[in-house]
Amino acid sequence: MDADSDVALDILITNVVCVFRTRCHLNLRKIALEGANVIYKRDVGKVLMKLRKPRITATIWSSGKIICTGATSEEEAKFGARRLARSLQKLGFQVIFTDFKVVNVLAVCNMPFEIRLPEFTKNNRPHASYEPELHPAVCYRIKSLRATLQIFSTGSITVTVLKRKYTLPTPLDSEQGPT
Amino acid sequence: MACVNPVPKLYRSVIEDVIEGVRDLFAEEGIEEQVLKVLKQLWETKVLQSKATEDFFRNSTHSPMFTLQLPNSLHQTLQSSTASLVIPAGRPLASFTTAELGASNSSAGFTLPGYPIHVPAGVTLQTASGHLYKVSVPIMVTQTSGRASILHPVQQVFQQLGQPSMIQTCVPRLNPCSLQATAEKSQRLETVPQQPPILHSGLVHRKHFENATSDILVPSGNEREIMSEALLSQLESSQYISVPGVMFPPQVSQTGSPVEPVLSVSAGVTQNLNGGPLSTGRPGAQHQHMTDTQLHVLKNRMFGCDSLKQPRNTEETSSLPVSEKESSSQMDLSNQVTDDDINEIIQIDGTGDTSSNDEIGSTRDVDENEFLGIVEAGDLKVLEEEADSISNEDSTANSSDNEDPQIDVVEEDPLNSGDDVSEQDVPDLFDTDNVIVCQYDKIHRSKNKWKFYLKDGVMCFGGRDYVFAKAIGDAEW
């Protein structure tokens, strides 16, 4: 529970998911035909548009809702989302960049030690749930932070945070040390 | 050499099939056969122009082999003539002497070099496809590329020639030696060399230029080939086309595939020869008709702005790339949509995601509340109202309207202000013209690795068309 040690740990944000709205109906077919780097999934009614510069993949619905994934930081996510909206604008749609919200941040980090999962689970009863037959990791939830951690026996941890303006290292801070 | 190019044959067969298939329909509709021929003509011209296939008119053998047969009688003529012909391609310039050929009946084969070859009168040329051309007038033969460059020489020749020559009816003559004309290519036209035209094997176009003299010579063994009347009338105004001394020996068998050779010839002949489109009389008239109309077309082109301009002339000049035509006729594509279609399309997907105003308002409400301290209730209501009004108005917002900053959730700026943000660094990295139009069996993607399993397609690659039944591709994005 020592804040300093968290800093030493290399925690890496691997994915930031965000949504925004364009406030206008989007003609998916037109995007699919005229847009660059698009995949049209007609069966589910969405268009995927991939951007190279901030490496992101956006799922676009005709309602104007857009989900943007793959960014490596929140700023980049916003940057990419704006770029995307800009490219839609260039296609001719009257988009307004509204309701931008980061919904999910995924990060990984590695503990320098192995973790004994069954013991860990026993000690962290309410928060940790472990079902080895279903999934090899312990699922540790921190409700207050809305974070979900997947703790593997090798010591690598995947942290998923439903973003509410919390900084990422926090879940690790509050986590109990290994037993 | 590379294996036979199947594309021209394929295109030919497509054209033939379509024309045949449509023939009945046209007849039913009361449209005359001539229109059909014109259509075919136009189509082929466009294919040529598009340079989509090489040797479109060429026969199955693609090497422009020429066999020279020297008739006995020409021995003397040849020797006296100043012109000469090259047999081996390697030799520079046309210096062919009868001596090289040896016996009068000797024949030699050679491949046309890139530059024009001067062919003295009286020589019989036989292309690899078996077509015989007897040269009655000293002509220049060049290799054509099958593009519309057939026409270019004519046009250029015209320009260089300047003055229209007189037109006279052509009298078919058999004996090449009787050509007086002509001038020994003193007037060589430079035009042809510029183009890399192709040798076509069925249809023979010849542009023949004549200088001042009087006689016309169209020695064609087949009178049918020469139809002067039609040409003459057109030629009135200025220039003309002539099909000079080339004849189609009756025994020439047009091969099944309607590939026709074209000899692009310019010669210093004086008079207008009217070679006229090869005639209707000939059996297997289809090709003839084609040549007929083709010649007409050529003439029209040459006349340019004269009275001869016909609608089809203009049609030809503004044409779609033929490859597209070919592919559309050939391929079964469902995804060709024009802009109009796009605008009029009613979207049938995405229905799962409704976007009614009320819903937007309510969701915004919920979302807004979740933002901690970002938006105050008062602002929220304002935003909601504005949101509703905006969506009603079908917001035009992009440009920096005053409303936008308010509509956009608090910290958002109107998009255009983020211009620097949005510009893609590699916008259209390679807006190529290389297109593949095909059907797909499977398209697969993993992360940024793509695999394509395609079938039945036409590729336009580097201006050329290639056809495939199956294609497999890998790509990384």
Side-chain angles (χ1 to χ4, degrees), chain B residues 311-332:
Chain B
R312 64 176 135 144
N313 191 10
T314 51
E315 269 176 48
E316 275 189 326
T317 50
S318 59
S319 57
L320 295 170
V322 182
S323 50
E324 273 181 16
K325 255 193 172 177
E326 295 288 354
S327 55
S328 58
S329 65
Q330 190 176 346
M331 295 305 138
D332 182 21

Side-chain angles (χ1 to χ4, degrees), chain A residues 23 40 86 90 95-96, chain B residues 349 364 398 419 422-423:
Chain A
R23 290 258 164 245
Y40 187 23
R86 180 73 180 158
K90 284 203 184 139
V95 305
I96 318 175
Chain B
D349 50 6
R364 279 180 60 82
N398 290 345
D419 251 333
S422 46
E423 236 14 84

